[in-house]
């Protein structure tokens, strides 16, 4: 039968065998399970000693601050409030507003209770309350212990550092404060401390409370940076304020206080204009009240002195006209004074218009002027809010200044026109009054004087009455002022945000499983040794003939001494496979080699010869490894002639053949170690010996030196019918197979077959069969066909032994 040339077969791309990978790595499920349990346990301990953090939320609605006038007269789109929302966000996150909110709260002292598991902040559950005088020096950011001795006394001492406190800084506290008894309600005063402690829960006598003083400036900065602001909904003007805190009540109180302070700040800005108007009207009323009293006294004195009771109808008519004209003139003077004041204000290039009084407030019904001034006041207020949180070089401030400059230019032009028109009206009224005064010259002197005094009195009286009305109107408007902003939702409850127990346990479970899996896979990928049959097949070009299991027996004569063992069955499978090779030859010459020493070639040679002898074939095994002879040790042969003796001509062929206790099994020891083993093995005497042994025996097994270390083995392989190349599981390195692959692929040697030796654990092919010619059964723990027949003397390997043997 002609041998089949495996080299003509093309490698086929096979899909990844998922079942193989699962079986390969799932063998270590105890490691995965243990790792997952440890990870979950560690996560449980982490949660046990971690302080929970909660998110508290509140919502505030930002109102529209653009007036109707600014929307009507906005032709250049410069009066839109596109930055109003940004300004409000900046204000809410500013330290200024944080300070206003903290004035309503008691955050400058933090109270803690230390348990065996973790330290918990008490906040409003603290049995004590400390009022701190921040005008005095204080020891801040240092934890101190306060022991409640009785209902009247307490003691302060430094906090004892725990095992994990590697850098305790408590010693920097006020030394004069420590280990002294104090009374509740009395001021504690030292060189570096000044505060008063009150007992609010008498039932906590004997307890210890940890407290820490926090400077207001540091507290404002911390709270302002901890606040998160975002739109409650897209396209809305509602802002959601959130804060992450370890105490829900503390975060709730701060969010609510901040929103209330925001509304109060907005209302305060709105009332500022009304207060300025009331101040201006009050100053004018004070001046008019004095002049009105003086005019009234002059009128009464003139009537008494001239005994005037009534005047003629003509006199009254002229007097009435002059009074009305003079009143109009005073109004125009008032308007002109207002316009000139605004002009001076604008000319000064001021950027603060919060002191400007709206024209509608002082009775000037000019909608365009009123809209421009109101817009300018709003922009000025926005600028003040910006400067509360940023400096003048900020882009938002610069953009606001550009808008104000445009409004100032428009207002300047409008004021110039109003001043010109008002002066023209005043000149017309002055000419009319002069004409009426000419008519008085024809009247009696007493009536003319009376008319002048009456006009002055009526003018002052009307202006005084008008200002009184305006003051009442402004006062009512101020009392009815409300903030443009509204609190939609007060902060009430908190949601747990850290730690996320569900996600953490899931991560721990996945990490506990995949980390050891990754370690096993990485060890497998990075390990250069052959790990299983697939490794051997993928890295060995020649066919794989057999798989030999790992022997746990103390002897190397496994086939002869333990014929029922699984390893003996492996060699029977090898014998069966060899029977199909070189079938045209009745007597077979077999060479056994490997890459390096220690791969089990001598073990395989001996047991292969033994299993052939048990089959009734007269077999001889030759120790052809002249450098490190081992075969004679297995047969307990010491000294005497051997292969070396024959090759150097000191012994005959018949003299070196040794019989064994087993029928049909003979061996030739290596003999003394020669100085030139390569030359001896290439001598004609060796060829003659091989021919002689082929005539005398049915099977000749040559145990040779490793192929990767010597050169003579390659020459010997060309003289044998079957060349068996032994690779050992978890021992042979993949690069060691490069040499035999090159020889085989380049047709330098033929009839090469692989034996995978010493397989254990995952080295066995999952389906229970081996590759190669003959398709023989191999040993498998899960082979249901073997039953308990091959369990003789078999010891189960421990899990960690299997783990060390494979990944």
């Amino acid at each position: 039968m002609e041998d089949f040339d495996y080299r003509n077969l093309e490698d086929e791309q096979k899909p990844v065998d998922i079942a193989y990978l699962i079986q390969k790595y799932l063998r270590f499920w105890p490691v995965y399970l243990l790792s997952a349990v440890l990870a979950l346990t560690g996560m449980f301990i982490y949660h046990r000693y971690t302080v929970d953090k909660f998110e508290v939320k509140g919502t505030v609605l930002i109102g529209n601050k653009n007036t109707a006038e600014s929307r009507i007269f906005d032709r250049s789109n410069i009066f839109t409030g596109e930055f109003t929302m940004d300004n409000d966000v900046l204000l809410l996150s500013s330290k200024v507003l944080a300070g206003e909110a903290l004035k309503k709260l008691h955050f400058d002292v933090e109270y803690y209770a230390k348990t065996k598991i973790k330290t918990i902040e008490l906040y409003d559950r603290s049995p004590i309350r400390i009022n701190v005088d921040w005008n005095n020096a204080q020891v801040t950011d240092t934890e101190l212990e306060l022991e409640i001795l009785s209902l009247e006394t307490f003691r302060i001492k430094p906090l004892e550092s725990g095992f994990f406190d590697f850098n305790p800084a408590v010693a920097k506290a006020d030394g004069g404060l420590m280990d002294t008894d104090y009374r509740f309600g009395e001021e504690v005063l030292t060189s570096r401390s000044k505060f008063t402690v009150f007992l609010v829960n008498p039932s906590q006598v004997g307890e210890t409370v940890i407290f820490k003083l926090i400077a207001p400036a540091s507290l404002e900065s911390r709270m302002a940076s901890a606040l998160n602001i975002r739109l409650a909904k897209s396209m809305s003007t509602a802002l959601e304020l959130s804060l992450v805190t370890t105490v829900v009540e503390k975060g709730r109180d701060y969010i609510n206080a901040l929103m209330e302070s925001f509304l109060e700040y907005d209302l305060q800005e709105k009332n500022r204009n009304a207060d300025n108007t009331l101040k201006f009207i009050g100053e004018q009323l004070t001046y008019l009240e004095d002049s009105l009293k003086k005019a009234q006294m002059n009128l009464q004195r003139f009537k008494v002195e001239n005994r005037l009771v009534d005047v003629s109808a003509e006199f009254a008519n002229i007097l009435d006209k002059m009074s009305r004209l003079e009143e109009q003139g005073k109004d125009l003077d008032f308007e002109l004074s207002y316009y000139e004041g605004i002009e001076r204000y604008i000319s000064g290039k001021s950027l603060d218009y919060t002191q400007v009084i709206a024209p509608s407030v002082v009775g000037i019904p000019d909608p365009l002027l009123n809209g421009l001034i109101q817009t300018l006041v709003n922009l000025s207020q926005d600028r003040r809010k910006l400067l509360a949180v940023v400096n003048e070089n900020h882009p938002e401030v610069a953009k606001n200044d550009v808008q104000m400059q445009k409004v100032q230019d428009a207002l300047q032009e409008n004021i110039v026109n109003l001043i010109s028109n008002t002066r023209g009206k005043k000149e017309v009224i002055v000419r009319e009054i002069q004409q009426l005064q000419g008519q008085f010259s024809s009247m009696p002197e007493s009536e003319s004087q009376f008319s002048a005094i009456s006009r002055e009195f009526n003018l002052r009286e009307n202006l005084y009455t008008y200002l009184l009305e305006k003051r009442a109107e402004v006062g009512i408007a101020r009392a009815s002022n409300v903030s443009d902003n509204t609190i939609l939702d007060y902060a009430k409850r908190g949601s747990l945000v850290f730690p996320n127990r569900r996600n953490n346990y899931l991560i721990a479970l996945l990490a506990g499983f995949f980390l050891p899996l990754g370690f096993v896979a990485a060890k497998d990928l990075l390990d250069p040794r052959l790990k299983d049959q697939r490794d051997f097949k993928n890295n060995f070009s020649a066919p794989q003939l057999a798989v030999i299991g790992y022997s746990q027996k103390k002897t190397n004569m496994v086939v002869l001494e333990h014929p029922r063992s699984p390893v003996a069955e492996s060699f029977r499978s090898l014998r069966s496979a060899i029977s199909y090779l070189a079938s045209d030859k009745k007597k077979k010459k077999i060479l056994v080699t490997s890459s390096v020493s220690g791969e089990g070639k001598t073990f395989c040679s001996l047991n292969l010869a033994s299993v052939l002898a048990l089959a009734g074939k007269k077999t001889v095994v030759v120790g052809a490894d002249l450098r490190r002879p081992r075969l004679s040790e297995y047969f307990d042969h010491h000294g005497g002639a051997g292969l070396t003796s024959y090759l150097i001509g000191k012994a005959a062929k018949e003299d070196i053949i040794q019989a064994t206790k087993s029928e049909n099994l003979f061996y030739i020891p290596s003999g003394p170690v020669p100085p030139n083993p390569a030359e001896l093995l290439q001598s004609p005497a060796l060829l003659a010996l091989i021919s002689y042994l082929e005539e005398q025996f049915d099977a000749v097994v040559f145990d040779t030196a490793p192929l990767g270390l010597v050169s003579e083995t390659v020459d010997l392989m060309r003289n044998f019918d079957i060349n068996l190349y032994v690779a050992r599981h978890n021992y042979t390195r993949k690069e060691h197979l490069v040499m035999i692959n090159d020889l085989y692929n380049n047709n330098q040697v033929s009839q090469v077959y692989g034996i995978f030796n010493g397989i254990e654990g995952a080295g066995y092919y999952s389906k229970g069969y081996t590759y190669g010619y003959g398709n023989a059964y191999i040993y498998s723990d899960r082979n249901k066909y073997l039953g308990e027949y091959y369990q003789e003397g078999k010891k189960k390997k421990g899990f960690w032994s299997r783990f060390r043997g494979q990944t």
Side-chain angles (χ1 to χ4, degrees), residues 706-763:
L707 180 66
L709 302 178
V710 299
S711 59
E712 65 270 13
T713 304
V714 177
D715 298 326
L716 288 175
M717 293 176 72
R718 300 187 179 99
N719 300 312
F720 285 80
D721 304 321
I722 300 173
N723 296 300
L724 299 180
Y725 196 91
V726 179
R728 185 173 179 178
H729 170 234
N730 208 33
Y731 184 87
T732 303
R733 300 175 71 90
K734 297 173 184 178
E735 61 266 23
H736 291 167
L737 302 178
V738 174
M739 184 176 184
I740 185 62
N741 288 338
D742 289 342
L743 294 172
Y744 178 76
N745 292 329
N746 295 327
N747 295 319
Q748 296 184 40
V749 294
S750 60
Q751 302 299 328
V752 178
Y753 303 94
I755 296 178
F756 200 27
N757 181 41
I759 275 191
E760 55 179 330

Side-chain angles (χ1 to χ4, degrees), residues 591-594 601-602 605 622-626 702-707 713 716-717 720:
L591 180 144
V592 181
T593 186
S594 64
K601 60 179 181 55
T602 303
S605 301
V622 181
D625 186 355
L626 302 183
F702 256 61
D703 175 29
T704 64
L707 180 66
T713 304
L716 288 175
M717 293 176 72
F720 285 80

Side-chain angles (χ1 to χ4, degrees), residues 97-272:
L97 201 63
E100 293 297 324
L102 291 171
K103 290 178 182 178
K104 305 176 182 180
L105 304 169
H106 184 62
F107 283 10
D108 55 346
V109 183
E110 293 181 352
Y111 308 94
Y112 298 93
K114 180 171 287 189
T115 65
K116 295 181 179 179
I117 299 176
K118 53 190 172 184
T119 302
I120 302 173
E121 185 174 358
L122 297 175
Y123 186 50
D124 54 358
R125 294 171 294 171
S126 171
I128 62 171
R129 179 181 176 86
I130 301 176
N131 290 341
V132 186
D133 183 1
W134 289 109
N135 294 322
N136 192 74
Q138 302 290 346
V139 177
T140 59
D141 299 321
T142 300
E143 293 183 349
L144 301 173
E145 282 190 4
L146 188 147
E147 183 181 359
I148 304 175
L149 301 177
S150 65
L151 294 176
E152 293 82 18
T153 60
F154 64 91
R155 179 179 300 161
I156 298 176
K157 54 185 179 180
L159 183 65
E160 296 181 3
S161 59
F163 179 76
F164 293 101
D165 295 334
F166 299 107
N167 188 24
V170 183
K172 297 181 180 179
D174 187 359
L177 189 66
M178 305 302 167
D179 299 325
T180 303
D181 292 350
Y182 301 96
R183 299 185 65 85
F184 289 110
E186 293 184 358
E187 190 175 72
V188 176
L189 179 61
T190 67
S191 59
R192 297 182 58 193
S193 301
K194 186 179 182 181
F195 55 85
T196 306
V197 182
F198 299 94
L199 180 64
V200 296
N201 190 350
S203 63
Q204 299 293 322
V205 173
E207 296 293 331
T208 299
V209 179
I210 300 172
F211 71 94
K212 179 171 63 176
L213 308 184
I214 305 177
S218 174
L219 187 61
E220 291 172 8
S221 178
R222 186 175 75 180
M223 299 306 295
S225 60
L227 183 70
N228 295 314
I229 305 174
R230 59 179 176 267
L231 279 176
K233 267 191 177 181
S234 60
M235 306 303 293
S236 71
T237 60
L239 295 177
E240 182 182 80
L241 281 62
S242 61
L243 183 72
V244 176
T245 177
T246 57
V247 183
V248 175
E249 294 79 5
K250 187 174 183 178
R252 175 199 64 197
D253 292 346
Y254 178 75
I255 292 290
N256 293 338
L258 185 68
M259 292 191 296
E260 291 173 357
S261 298
F262 177 64
L263 266 59
E264 292 171 1
Y265 185 88
D266 181 61
L267 183 59
Q268 180 182 355
E269 290 297 317
K270 292 185 66 175
N271 287 336
R272 187 186 300 275

Side-chain angles (χ1 to χ4, degrees), residues 308-320 439-440 442-444 447-448 450-451:
L308 294 176
V309 179
D310 197 2
V311 295
S312 63
E314 184 179 359
F315 177 81
N317 186 30
I318 295 174
L319 181 62
D320 182 60
Q439 296 178 13
F440 271 105
S442 59
M443 294 182 180
E447 291 182 358
S448 177
F450 177 76
S451 175

